[in-house]
Amino acid sequence: MLLLAALLLFAAYQRAGFGIVLSEIVRWGGVAACITSLLLLFVLGYRRRREALSGKGLSRLMMGLSSIALMLLSLQHFWLGNGRLSLFDLATVILITFLVSLELAVLQQSRGHSKQQRAGCYKQMRPAIFLFLFGIDLSMAFIPLHMEALPRSFNGFSPDLLIGLPISVEFLCVGVAILMCGVWLDRSGWKPPFYTGLILTGLGCLYSWLAPDAVQFILSRGVLGFGYGLTLLASQSYVIGHTDNSNKSRGLAHLFAGLYSGSICGAATGAVLAEQFGYGPVFLLGAVIVFSVMVYGWIILRQSPEPSKAAEATPTDTLEPQPAGSFLRFLGDRQVLAAVLFSSMPASIAVVGFLNYFSPLYLNRSGVNDAAIGQVLMLFGVILALFGPAIGRFADLSESKRVPIILGCTLGGLAFLVFSLFDGIMAVTLAILLLGLSNCLVLSAQSAFVLNQPVTAQYGEGKSMGIFRSSSRIGQMLGPVLFAGIITMTDIESGVMLFGLAYLITAILFALLTWSPRGGAVTSQVKAVSNE
C-alpha cells in the first residue's frame, strides 16, 4: 500500500516539475512502514493477553494503521519534500491509497464472517471485483492514445471515429456477453461464466499488449469486453445467491463499491505506470492482475458455502418456471417495464452522458486543466465506494425497493438542476456529488426490485438479470448522443436543466406505474405464510 502511495506521490512531483528521486520517497514510505509495524506488534501483543482479534476487529485495526501510515508519509512530504505541491494532488494520492486499504479491510472482515456464519459471505466478491476492475482499467486513460499510435489500414474513416472504436467495440461486447450470460447462469450457476470471463479478459489484455495494428487492437478489446460482461454478471449472481431480501441491496452496493473503487485506483495507477514505462508493460500487468483473480477465487471464494435454495425461498420462488415464450411476458410486465424505461435507462444516460462525455468537454471549455478535470470526475466513484454500502443498508429497509429507486431518481434529476444556480466547475462538482448519491440508491435497489417481481421467478433470475442489465447498455450508448446535442446549444446550462426536469418526470412516472394498493402486498404475505 505504501509502495503504491510512494509511486503516485512521485508521479505528482514529476507532473509538477519538482526534482526529486523515487528512492527518497520510497525511503519515506519505509519509515512509515517501520513505525506502523511497531504499532502493530504492540497492539497484537496487548490483545493476545486480552482476547483474539475477530475479522471485524482486525479490519478496523488495518484501517487505523493504514491511516497512520498515510499521515506519516504526508508529514514527511511537508517536512522533507516540496511543500508547493498542490494539496489537491496530495489528497488524490492519499484517497487512492486509502481505497486500496479499505478493500483489504473488507476482505479480512468477510473472511471473519465466513468462519462463523454465511451472512457476510457476499463481501468476499468485493475484493475480487476490485482486483478485476483494477487490472482492466489500468489502460483506461490511454486506450485512445495507443490506438492513435498504431498502424491503421482504414480508408474513408474519420481519425476521431477510429480512435473511439476500441472502447465502442468493448462496450458492445460487454452488452452481448451480459445478454448471453443470463441463460448460462440459470443452467450452470455463477462459477463457469465467472472463470471463463476471467480467462477471456486476461487473454484480451495480453492480445492488446501484442496487437501489431489497429484492427487487431480493436479485436483484442472486443475479447476483453466479452469476458468482462461474463464476469460482471456472474459476480452479481454470486452476491444475489448469498443474500436474501433483507440484505440484497447492501450486498450489491458492496459489489458496485468495489467495482468503482477498482476502476478509480486502476486508472490512476495505470496513468502513472504508462508515463514511466510505456503502454505495453501496463497491458501486460493488467493481464497478470486479472489472472490473479482466478487464484483469489480458488483460495477464497471456493470456501463460501453454497446458497441453500430452500432456506432462501421467497413467495416468488414458489412459482413454477414458465416456458421460453415468457420472454415478452417478462419485458411486458408493468413493474419491469417501468424499471427499464424510467429508472435504468435514464440513470445510464445521465451517468455516461454527463460524466464521461459532457463534463470533460464542458470543463475544458471553461478553462479547467486536465488534471483538475480528472480529479473532479473521480468524485463519482469515491462517493459510491465510501457511501454505497451504508446507503445500501438503508435501501434494504424497503421491502419492495421501490422507495430507494424513487429517491435516487429524484436526486439524479436535482443534480442537473444545480446548473440553474451555478456554472463551471462548481456546478459540475455538485452535480457529480448528487449523481454519486443517486447511484448509491439506484444501482443496488434496481436489481433487487426486479428480482422481487413474480415474473422474474417465472422467467429465471439469470435470464432476467441479463436482459435488465443489457437495457442499461442502451442508455449508455444514448447518453453521449443526447449530451452531444446539449453541448451544441447556445445556452448549455438551460439544456442541462431541461434534461434534469425530464429525469424528474421519469421518477414520477416510475412511482405511478409501480404503485400498487396496499392490500395486494398483504395478500401476497398471506399466501407466503400459507405456503410455509
Side-chain angles (χ1 to χ4, degrees):
M1 183 198 72
L2 284 169
L3 183 60
L4 175 63
L7 181 64
L8 294 173
L9 187 59
F10 173 71
Y13 273 120
Q14 292 290 98
R15 286 196 302 270
F18 300 141
I20 191 167
V21 294
L22 180 60
S23 59
E24 184 175 353
I25 300 179
V26 171
R27 188 167 65 250
W28 300 349
V31 172
C34 289
I35 295 174
T36 50
S37 298
L38 291 174
L39 286 172
L40 176 62
L41 291 174
F42 172 77
V43 172
L44 290 178
Y46 176 77
R47 292 300 297 262
R48 191 176 291 116
R49 293 194 296 269
R50 300 277 180 168
E51 57 182 358
L53 281 170
S54 64
K56 194 170 185 178
L58 190 55
S59 68
R60 288 175 177 173
L61 175 62
M62 289 173 62
M63 287 303 300
L65 291 175
S66 298
S67 301
I68 292 172
L70 291 174
M71 183 181 68
L72 290 170
L73 186 65
S74 302
L75 288 174
Q76 291 179 91
H77 153 71
F78 288 115
W79 186 21
L80 302 172
N82 196 315
R84 290 179 296 164
L85 182 69
S86 168
L87 288 176
F88 207 23
D89 287 336
L90 179 62
T92 303
V93 171
I94 293 173
L95 179 61
I96 291 172
T97 315
F98 179 80
L99 289 176
V100 173
S101 63
L102 177 63
E103 298 307 317
L104 293 173
V106 169
L107 170 61
Q108 184 57 48
Q109 185 177 349
S110 66
R111 293 191 68 186
H113 276 298
S114 65
K115 295 176 182 177
Q116 302 165 10
Q117 55 186 358
R118 183 177 157 270
C121 285
Y122 63 84
K123 292 182 181 178
Q124 292 183 345
M125 184 56 77
R126 176 172 170 172
I129 210 70
F130 170 83
L131 267 181
F132 182 63
L133 263 294
F134 189 98
I136 290 176
D137 283 350
L138 277 174
S139 57
M140 183 177 69
F142 59 80
I143 285 176
L145 302 177
H146 184 64
M147 176 66 179
E148 192 174 26
L150 288 171
R152 296 192 293 271
S153 56
F154 299 97
N155 294 320
F157 287 93
S158 164
D160 293 333
L161 175 63
L162 291 177
I163 289 171
L165 268 181
I167 296 176
S168 299
V169 170
E170 180 178 334
F171 275 101
L172 175 64
C173 290
V174 170
V176 172
I178 287 175
L179 195 59
M180 294 175 60
C181 185
V183 179
W184 196 359
L185 287 170
D186 284 336
R187 292 178 178 176
S188 307
W190 68 271
K191 288 183 181 179
F194 180 79
Y195 289 108
T196 303
L198 289 177
I199 293 171
L200 288 175
T201 304
L203 291 176
C205 289
L206 288 174
Y207 193 8
S208 297
W209 172 48
L210 298 172
D213 54 42
V215 174
Q216 295 198 49
F217 183 67
I218 293 171
L219 291 175
S220 74
R221 302 315 293 180
V223 173
L224 183 146
F226 196 85
Y228 174 34
L230 292 177
T231 298
L232 181 62
L233 196 64
S235 63
Q236 292 181 52
S237 178
Y238 172 92
V239 172
I240 290 166
H242 288 82
T243 54
D244 53 32
N245 200 44
S246 66
N247 62 354
K248 199 178 296 294
S249 293
R250 195 186 327 160
L252 290 169
H254 267 284
L255 183 73
F256 288 120
L259 186 148
Y260 280 99
S261 182
S263 179
I264 292 169
C265 297
T269 306
V272 173
L273 293 174
E275 189 176 350
Q276 298 296 320
F277 306 108
Y279 300 148
V282 178
F283 286 120
L284 178 60
L285 178 61
V288 171
I289 292 174
V290 169
F291 284 130
S292 72
V293 181
M294 298 181 68
V295 179
Y296 173 89
W298 185 75
I299 296 174
I300 304 296
L301 295 180
R302 72 169 186 168
Q303 299 176 2
S304 304
E306 290 298 323
S308 170
K309 295 295 181 185
E312 293 180 2
T314 62
T316 58
D317 293 330
T318 61
L319 297 171
E320 292 294 327
Q322 297 208 354
S326 57
F327 170 74
L328 292 178
R329 186 177 304 163
F330 171 76
L331 277 182
D333 181 80
R334 180 165 55 93
Q335 308 282 338
V336 173
L337 196 62
V340 169
L341 295 180
F342 303 121
S343 176
S344 177
M345 287 185 63
S348 301
I349 291 171
V351 171
V352 175
F354 182 78
L355 202 68
N356 296 352
Y357 179 84
F358 175 86
S359 295
L361 288 175
Y362 178 76
L363 291 175
N364 180 263
R365 294 179 183 181
S366 300
V368 181
N369 62 56
D370 292 344
I373 291 173
Q375 288 162 341
V376 169
L377 297 182
M378 194 173 68
L379 289 174
F380 179 79
V382 171
I383 293 293
L384 281 168
L386 296 182
F387 299 105
I391 294 177
R393 190 175 292 110
F394 160 75
D396 280 325
L397 298 176
S398 170
E399 186 177 352
S400 67
K401 316 303 178 192
R402 175 174 171 269
V403 173
I405 295 176
I406 295 171
L407 287 176
C409 292
T410 303
L411 273 177
L414 293 176
F416 298 100
L417 296 183
V418 165
F419 280 79
S420 64
L421 302 174
F422 305 99
D423 59 5
I425 192 169
M426 176 62 74
V428 172
T429 301
L430 290 175
I432 288 176
L433 288 173
L434 287 173
L435 267 183
L437 292 173
S438 166
N439 277 262
C440 286
L441 286 161
V442 168
L443 275 178
S444 57
Q446 280 175 348
S447 299
F449 176 82
V450 172
L451 288 168
N452 281 347
Q453 305 308 315
V455 71
T456 301
Q458 294 172 352
Y459 188 56
E461 283 189 356
K463 288 180 286 186
S464 300
M465 287 307 300
I467 293 170
F468 180 67
R469 283 299 165 200
S470 294
S471 70
S472 68
R473 300 291 161 180
I474 299 174
Q476 290 174 357
M477 288 187 288
L478 291 175
V481 176
L482 185 60
F483 276 89
I486 291 175
I487 207 164
T488 57
M489 295 173 65
T490 306
D491 190 350
I492 295 176
E493 286 77 12
S494 296
V496 175
M497 288 166 53
L498 286 175
F499 178 80
L501 289 173
Y503 199 168
L504 286 176
I505 291 172
T506 65
I508 295 170
L509 290 173
F510 175 83
L512 293 174
L513 286 172
T514 56
W515 181 83
S516 58
R518 194 165 182 81
V522 173
T523 304
S524 65
Q525 290 174 3
V526 171
K527 288 181 180 178
V529 172
S530 64
N531 286 333
E532 292 176 359

